[in-house]
Amino acid sequence: MELIMSVLTKKEIIDAIDKGELAFEPGLDQFQLQPAAVDIRVGLNFFIPKIWALSDSGRKDLNVDHLNNEEKSEVLDHIHLKPCQTFDLLPGEFILISTYEKILIKSGSLISILYPRSSTTRRGISIESGVIDPYYEGSLMIPVFNQTRTQKIRIYPGERIAQLVFHRTESELTKEESLTHGVAKPKYQGVQGYQLDYKFDPHDEINIIRDGNLEQLKKKHLIISQNDNEEKNQIPVSAEGQGNSPRF
């Protein structure tokens, strides 16, 4: 059954929750439901990028190489606040914040896109958007950046900082299809608010990129459509009815 791509209003969001296609833990409160979105609250876990590390030779600046799958190091400091505490985001500072709610998408035709609230943007906070896939379950990690040069911005656990817009896709994916990202399983499926282990992309892909063999990457892992396969398997027939050898 083909579906029309659409944005869910608050009525469809509530209907999806009632049907078991969508859930939040803890559940939504009345302040969060908007005409065509759901506001998400700040959790208690904040992650700050490290700029130095202590080694055998002493204090050294931290060289973060996200394609180095041999020398994995902790690149983020974790701060867990109490509900009555606050976090001062410094000018020009970038952090990651966990959401207070876990989101559980239990449908193969439902996705969500994360956006900043307009009130958040007006405070000088930049939030990067992202796609939440069908069948995703877990907390969200929100990239947050203070765009001001001189102002610290106070963030309160529990405040509404971002919003989720839900869409119906044109076709429905199976759970197995949804949980296959490229050639691997999703890296952050089931993540909890206090967890942010850095997980690498597939080693095969990383090794090819680090070696600079981009042409090999495309040749080895090129996506071939079903139509391409069918065309290759067809043997053209000549006017005399003889089969011509396919050319590759």
Side-chain angles (χ1 to χ4, degrees):
M1 175 181 175
E2 291 190 355
L3 304 171
I4 299 175
M5 188 73 170
S6 60
V7 175
L8 273 61
T9 67
K10 61 167 62 176
K11 294 179 181 179
E12 285 85 39
I13 292 171
I14 293 174
D15 186 55
I17 294 174
D18 290 340
K19 290 180 177 179
E21 297 180 301
L22 177 65
F24 296 87
E25 296 178 357
L28 299 179
D29 56 69
Q30 293 179 337
F31 297 100
Q32 292 179 274
L33 192 59
Q34 305 305 317
V38 170
D39 288 344
I40 291 296
R41 297 190 181 279
V42 173
L44 301 172
N45 296 282
F46 295 72
F47 299 87
I48 306 173
K50 292 182 178 181
I51 60 174
W52 64 273
L54 190 62
S55 67
D56 293 338
S57 60
R59 182 186 188 232
K60 300 179 65 176
D61 62 327
L62 193 61
N63 180 23
V64 180
D65 183 355
H66 291 293
L67 291 187
N68 188 340
N69 56 20
E70 298 173 355
E71 298 180 1
K72 180 180 177 181
S73 60
E74 297 296 332
V75 298
L76 297 167
D77 282 322
H78 175 208
I79 295 178
H80 179 81
L81 298 182
K82 298 177 181 178
C84 59
Q85 294 179 316
T86 60
F87 186 96
D88 285 344
L89 186 63
L90 304 180
E93 186 177 29
F94 169 83
I95 64 170
L96 295 172
I97 299 176
S98 70
T99 56
Y100 186 67
E101 296 88 5
K102 287 174 58 179
I103 178 174
L104 300 92
I105 299 179
K106 303 178 180 182
S107 168
S109 63
L110 191 62
I111 68 167
S112 183
I113 300 178
L114 175 76
Y115 296 100
R117 295 182 69 207
S118 59
S119 57
T120 300
T121 303
R122 289 194 292 269
R123 291 164 62 189
I125 295 176
S126 172
I127 290 178
E128 295 297 328
S129 63
V131 177
I132 299 97
D133 294 309
Y135 292 107
Y136 176 82
E137 296 185 3
S139 301
L140 302 179
M141 295 296 174
I142 305 178
V144 177
F145 177 69
N146 182 347
Q147 298 190 84
T148 72
R149 295 185 177 182
T150 57
Q151 291 183 337
K152 66 180 181 182
I153 301 174
R154 182 157 293 174
I155 298 176
Y156 292 79
E159 71 169 286
R160 291 176 286 131
I161 195 172
Q163 57 186 331
L164 296 174
V165 176
F166 291 91
H167 299 261
R168 288 285 183 191
T169 58
E170 293 185 359
S171 62
E172 186 167 358
L173 295 175
T174 65
K175 190 170 186 178
E176 182 179 359
E177 290 170 332
S178 299
L179 297 181
T180 302
H181 290 196
V183 298
K185 297 300 180 183
K187 294 187 290 185
Y188 299 105
Q189 176 79 356
V191 67
Q192 303 294 320
Y194 58 87
Q195 297 173 324
L196 195 61
D197 295 334
Y198 185 80
K199 299 180 181 179
F200 293 102
D201 287 334
H203 289 185
D204 191 19
E205 178 188 13
I206 289 176
N207 292 336
I208 293 175
I209 292 173
R210 292 182 65 185
D211 292 339
N213 296 324
L214 301 186
E215 290 186 6
Q216 177 190 347
L217 174 68
K218 289 298 183 181
K219 290 179 180 178
K220 184 177 180 180
H221 298 284
L222 183 67
I223 295 176
I224 301 177
S225 70
Q226 185 65 31
N227 290 337
D228 290 336
N229 281 329
E230 291 176 355
E231 290 177 2
K232 284 185 177 182
N233 291 330
Q234 289 177 353
I235 301 177
V237 179
S238 66
E240 290 77 18
Q242 301 296 322
N244 296 326
S245 299
R247 292 179 297 173
F248 295 98

